[in-house]
Amino acid sequence: MLSVRNLEVVYHDVALVLRGVSLTVPRHRVVALLGANGAGKTTLLRAVSGLLDVHDGRVTKGGVELGGRPIHGLGPERVVRRGVRQVMEGRRIFAELTVEENLRIGAHTAPRALGDNLARVYGLFPRLKALASRTAGYLSGGEQQMLAVGRALMSDPELLLLDEPSLGLAPRLVQQIKEIIAQINDQGTTILLVEQNASMALSVADHGYVLESGRIVMDRPAAELLEDDDIREFYLGLGAEGAARSFRDVKHYKRRKRWLS
């Protein structure tokens, strides 16, 4: 469905952020993109959703295709009409509006299906239905994240881009978000999940990629990545025997990642 091929992205005509990135998101699958801050994950999502221009970025090589048709040169409004929705890091809800008003705004490209999509969102997020008339700015962090995802679903997207949906949430809420991602996928929506929480992402994904310094360094089925020694040590914080490392151990850990050898 989504195909990124040899993508290079530059900001301000100076900073090369993505360096020949290639990945594929098959239809009806969940694909996880892992990486530390500054690796280029959000830049990749901007290239897919058409938001590079807003940040003075541009594609200098390669491209992005959706269903075999190039989209990397399209504006965000045209990408949206191709069936792509992005839930940005930090939620970006309309704080002064009510929960339901936020959801209705998300339905602007599919007004005829508003009732059905609203019922779908309330089915996925019963808490939002109970808070439908509440001003969104007064919701908790977890509720706001649910609202951001629900708003993206109001136009029944084919491809959903999730940027750090678990960021800043308590472990209990992270588990809820993971379960909701699985439900959305079961309903037929393809998902590209960008996450620093590798354990959560790989437990719900079919396939995973690891992005470092603008390059893909690993590309495997999610179950294999969960068992990979480097992923366990550098992304899950687990030692060779599966035990969690202390802060002191991680801070002073010197072993070189195998993909850098």
Side-chain angles (χ1 to χ4, degrees):
M1 181 177 191
L2 176 70
S3 178
V4 178
R5 291 286 177 264
N6 300 316
L7 190 68
E8 291 188 357
V9 171
V10 171
Y11 285 119
H12 309 292
D13 290 322
V14 175
L16 180 62
V17 178
L18 297 183
R19 306 164 183 264
V21 170
S22 296
L23 61 80
T24 301
V25 183
R27 188 176 299 277
H28 302 317
R29 299 296 180 88
V30 179
V31 171
L33 180 62
L34 311 179
N37 283 335
K41 305 186 303 298
T42 296
T43 293
L44 177 59
L45 293 189
R46 288 172 181 167
V48 174
S49 59
L51 292 173
L52 281 175
D53 286 350
V54 177
H55 302 274
D56 200 16
R58 63 186 180 91
V59 174
T60 56
K61 184 179 178 182
V64 181
E65 293 184 353
L66 185 69
R69 301 169 63 190
I71 62 171
H72 59 273
L74 304 180
E77 70 286 347
R78 295 181 65 187
V79 174
V80 165
R81 294 192 181 278
R82 294 283 183 88
V84 179
R85 301 294 182 278
Q86 180 176 350
V87 179
M88 298 182 182
E89 179 184 342
R91 294 138 198 174
R92 313 289 182 92
I93 61 169
F94 296 101
E96 297 83 6
L97 302 181
T98 67
V99 167
E100 186 153 320
E101 286 169 342
N102 269 269
L103 294 176
R104 288 176 176 272
I105 287 174
H108 71 282
T109 60
R112 294 183 179 179
L114 188 151
D116 289 341
N117 288 331
L118 193 61
R120 177 194 181 191
V121 170
Y122 283 154
L124 285 167
F125 304 101
R127 181 64 178 160
L128 293 184
K129 185 174 184 179
L131 298 171
S133 60
R134 178 76 61 87
T135 301
Y138 292 111
L139 301 182
S140 68
E143 291 164 347
Q144 289 185 7
Q145 187 63 70
M146 293 176 188
L147 178 57
V149 175
R151 185 178 60 191
L153 294 175
M154 284 297 295
S155 54
D156 196 18
E158 293 186 37
L159 174 63
L160 183 63
L161 310 176
L162 297 176
D163 193 357
E164 304 286 2
S166 73
L167 185 66
L169 300 183
R172 176 179 58 84
L173 295 177
V174 172
Q175 177 64 25
Q176 289 182 15
I177 292 295
K178 185 187 86 167
E179 292 170 356
I180 288 165
I181 291 171
Q183 290 180 54
I184 293 170
N185 179 242
D186 287 343
Q187 293 177 357
T189 304
T190 305
I191 298 173
L192 176 57
L193 172 61
V194 166
E195 261 293 343
Q196 288 191 61
N197 186 332
S199 179
M200 185 276 274
L202 293 176
S203 67
V204 75
D206 301 290
H207 199 88
Y209 294 83
V210 179
L211 186 66
E212 284 203 358
S213 302
R215 293 186 174 90
I216 297 293
V217 295
M218 295 190 77
D219 163 15
R220 295 184 189 174
E224 291 185 16
L225 287 178
L226 275 171
E227 297 301 320
D228 182 88
D229 289 341
D230 277 329
I231 297 298
R232 290 171 65 82
E233 291 187 35
F234 292 101
Y235 285 90
L236 303 181
L238 299 176
E241 303 302 323
R245 289 184 171 276
S246 69
F247 174 77
R248 179 182 177 86
D249 289 338
V250 173
K251 183 177 179 181
H252 297 286
Y253 194 54
K254 299 297 184 182
R255 186 177 71 73
R256 185 177 175 84
K257 298 171 184 175
R258 292 178 179 87
W259 58 73
L260 299 177
S261 300

